[in-house]
Amino acid sequence: MSFKSWAGALCAAILCLQISGCSSAAETKSETAPVAATATVAGAASPAATTPETTPTPAPATTSESTAPATAETVLARKQVPILCYHQIREWTAKDGKVGKDYIVKPNDFKAQIKMLADSGYHTILPDQLQAYLTKGTPLPSKPIMLTFDDTKLDQYTVAKPTLDKYGFKGVFFIMTVSIGRPNYMTKEQIKQLSDEGHVIGSHTYDHGNVKKYEAADWVRQIEKPTKQLEAITGKPIEYFAYPFGLWRPEAIPELQKRGFKAAYILATKRDPNDPLFTIRRIIASGYWSTKGLYNSIQNSF
């Protein structure tokens, strides 16, 4: 072989070795690089093997039964919850007439009544719970009962509150604002304490005026201003109302609604078939009733 031929063969061999080395390096990268790529898109299908995804069209919004406004028929169809109304809790005096004694429960009788309710398995509920039950069917505790107190009397704080506390009960106190701070009536501080401790404060007008007689300015004086006063005292919305004497008229309902009230409470008369939430029934806990008499009235009245 001539020198020229030998040199050409040597160059060719060197070139082949360089090409082979580059190929090995490229193959090494091609074996490792896809591993990282595969980890990044693990589980993803090849674009050529799948149909591009489409965004599902949302189903039309529907109103569930639990959030739809409850009809009057729905509210009226639900079993009524017993609601008691107390006024004064003190001993009778010689000045108390026959009718007046109906509104005055002696302290020992009151304590016996609350003990009877606890021993009988009753659980007190508050207006928000009742509202949810009536409008949405939200379950209540077994043997629910609501205890309400009208007119701001001091004995509701000094006698009723400690008795309720003893059994873990809560009450609803409907406040007549003209009387706040007067002798034998609750103070602002006592009303706030009731609210802070989980009792509910409701409105009972300014001075117990008969709702059936209200004219234009009376809605502000008797409802609007007292409500704002109670909200300032408690720092909470006032959303429940009790009609003085249990007397009401249909024109009162829109006036209460536009002032933020959710419901209103009457006494033992029939509920309104059109607005049962604004005519929720209560019975007066009579000063003449024995503990057994109270129990029987609860069973027979609701």
Side-chain angles (χ1 to χ4, degrees):
M1 179 183 295
S2 67
F3 175 79
K4 185 176 181 181
S5 298
W6 179 83
L10 179 60
C11 288
I14 292 170
L15 182 60
C16 286
L17 287 173
Q18 289 176 336
I19 293 172
S20 176
C22 290
S23 176
S24 298
E27 287 172 1
T28 303
K29 290 180 181 177
S30 68
E31 289 172 359
T32 57
V35 173
T38 302
T40 304
V41 293
S46 168
T50 60
T51 303
E53 292 184 9
T54 57
T55 302
T57 303
T62 57
T63 302
S64 66
E65 191 173 284
S66 62
T67 58
T71 63
E73 291 76 12
T74 298
V75 174
L76 291 167
R78 302 203 193 280
K79 180 176 173 58
Q80 293 184 74
V81 172
I83 305 176
L84 302 181
C85 174
Y86 288 94
H87 288 82
Q88 300 181 53
I89 305 168
R90 61 171 176 82
E91 299 295 335
W92 291 353
T93 69
K95 295 180 180 180
D96 297 322
K98 182 178 180 180
V99 174
K101 290 177 180 177
D102 208 29
Y103 294 83
I104 305 167
V105 177
K106 297 175 182 178
N108 285 340
D109 290 344
F110 177 79
K111 293 173 184 178
Q113 291 173 6
I114 300 304
K115 182 179 185 302
M116 178 273 294
L117 293 175
D119 291 345
S120 300
Y122 280 95
H123 298 87
T124 55
I125 66 166
L126 295 174
D128 280 350
Q129 292 171 277
L130 181 62
Q131 197 79 359
Y133 162 70
L134 292 175
T135 60
K136 303 176 184 178
T138 303
L140 293 172
S142 60
K143 301 189 77 170
I145 193 165
M146 187 184 294
L147 306 177
T148 68
F149 301 85
D150 289 8
D151 298 347
T152 331
K153 297 296 290 187
L154 181 60
D155 48 51
Q156 297 170 8
Y157 179 85
T158 58
V159 179
K161 177 187 176 301
T163 307
L164 298 182
D165 290 345
K166 180 178 180 179
Y167 297 99
F169 284 178
K170 298 298 180 185
V172 187
F173 295 81
F174 289 108
I175 303 298
M176 179 177 60
T177 56
V178 69
S179 60
I180 295 174
R182 292 185 176 182
N184 297 318
Y185 290 91
M186 285 189 275
T187 65
K188 293 179 180 179
E189 292 75 17
Q190 290 166 338
I191 293 168
K192 178 170 172 48
Q193 183 182 350
L194 287 170
S195 176
D196 289 346
E197 293 183 6
H199 303 281
V200 169
I201 303 300
S203 176
H204 199 42
T205 75
Y206 171 67
D207 62 359
H208 217 267
N210 186 342
V211 171
K212 284 192 169 185
K213 299 179 180 179
Y214 287 2
E215 298 179 356
D218 293 320
W219 299 111
V220 174
R221 179 173 179 269
Q222 293 285 359
I223 307 295
E224 193 168 309
K225 288 183 177 180
T227 300
K228 290 179 179 178
Q229 182 180 355
L230 292 173
E231 289 176 340
I233 292 171
T234 62
K236 299 175 184 177
I238 302 300
E239 299 174 319
Y240 300 99
F241 179 81
Y243 300 99
F245 314 104
L247 300 176
W248 66 283
R249 72 181 202 263
E251 293 81 4
I253 294 174
E255 295 291 344
L256 292 171
Q257 288 173 327
K258 70 184 182 183
R259 289 171 172 83
F261 287 97
K262 293 180 178 179
Y265 292 73
I266 57 174
L267 290 174
T269 54
K270 291 183 178 180
R271 293 178 290 176
D272 182 70
N274 299 312
D275 287 293
L277 290 176
F278 281 82
T279 50
I280 297 174
R281 293 180 64 249
R282 306 181 292 166
I283 60 171
I284 293 174
S286 172
Y288 291 104
W289 287 347
S290 65
T291 301
K292 183 177 180 181
L294 175 66
Y295 182 85
N296 290 336
S297 293
I298 292 170
Q299 302 303 310
N300 297 330
S301 299
F302 296 95

